[in-house]
């Protein structure tokens, strides 16, 4: 189901604040999908989703390669699922290593996942300008909320 980015439902936004392992899908230079588990933060006020990464990671290399190609840039998707609840954010991605933006990505990660990301001197942040949202999110059942406790991605 399409989500109105101008007025996303409260349960949808709440779902993006819960602690969940997500996936990031990028395209390799040969056009095949590269899907990896990641932590994602989403700022609906600015329409930006963020993924922490290492500068030399495949996901960063895929985004950079797409940005240099003939198309509009790197279209990516991040997704999370919890039982029947799921949410996807899509948009154009860029990579930044600017210290202030990296620090903001780390702060948001710590806020969502309840722990600081591991120290990484090669940190980059993939910033996604979200232009499409999909999902099926209703208020979490008690079991889903309990399952979310203690779950989440490994520190990046």
């Amino acid at each position: 189901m399409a989500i109105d980015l101008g007025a996303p439902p409260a349960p949808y936004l709440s779902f993006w604040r819960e602690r969940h392992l997500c996936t990031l899908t990028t395209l390799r230079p040969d056009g095949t999908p590269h899907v990896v588990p990641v932590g994602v933060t989403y700022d609906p006020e600015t329409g930006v989703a963020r993924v922490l990464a290492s500068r030399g990671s495949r996901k960063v290399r895929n985004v950079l390669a797409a940005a240099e190609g003939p198309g509009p840039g790197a279209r990516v998707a991040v997704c999370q699922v919890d039982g029947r609840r799921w949410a996807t954010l899509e948009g154009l991605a860029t990579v930044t290593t600017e210290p202030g933006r990296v620090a903001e990505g780390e702060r948001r990660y710590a806020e969502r996942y309840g722990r600081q990301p591991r120290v990484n001197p090669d940190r980059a942040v993939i910033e996604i300008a979200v232009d499409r949202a999909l999902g099926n999110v209703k208020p979490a059942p008690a079991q889903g909320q309990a399952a979310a406790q203690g779950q989440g991605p490994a520190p990046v």
Side-chain angles (χ1 to χ4, degrees):
M1 160 172 48
I3 302 296
D4 177 2
L5 287 170
Y12 189 82
L13 296 177
S14 178
F15 189 50
W16 278 107
R17 287 188 297 270
E18 294 173 16
R19 186 176 173 174
H20 292 288
L21 182 62
C22 304
T23 60
L24 168 68
T25 302
T26 60
L27 294 178
R28 294 181 184 95
D30 69 1
T32 59
H34 178 252
V35 183
V36 292
V38 294
V40 175
T41 62
Y42 177 50
D43 178 1
E45 309 247 330
T46 61
V48 175
R50 293 174 179 85
V51 175
L52 300 180
S54 291
R55 291 179 192 168
S57 68
R58 168 51 59 195
K59 56 187 161 280
V60 165
R61 293 193 324 262
N62 288 345
V63 170
L64 292 174
E68 294 172 0
R75 285 212 53 90
V76 303
V78 290
C79 183
Q80 64 183 18
V81 64
D82 179 34
R84 291 182 166 195
R85 297 184 312 148
W86 63 273
T88 299
L89 301 171
E90 300 177 14
L92 285 176
T94 57
V95 175
T96 183
T97 57
E98 191 274 310
R101 289 163 64 186
V102 169
E104 179 66 7
E106 291 171 336
R107 182 191 70 75
R108 289 175 181 277
Y109 178 96
E111 183 179 285
R112 181 175 188 195
Y113 292 106
R115 62 178 174 232
Q116 292 295 319
R118 69 176 169 82
V119 175
N120 181 355
D122 292 323
R123 174 94 64 223
V125 178
I126 298 172
E127 294 179 333
I128 305 161
V130 176
D131 59 18
R132 182 179 299 152
L134 306 166
N136 184 21
V137 178
K138 297 184 175 44
Q143 183 181 16
Q145 290 173 346
Q149 300 299 317
Q151 301 297 316
V156 291

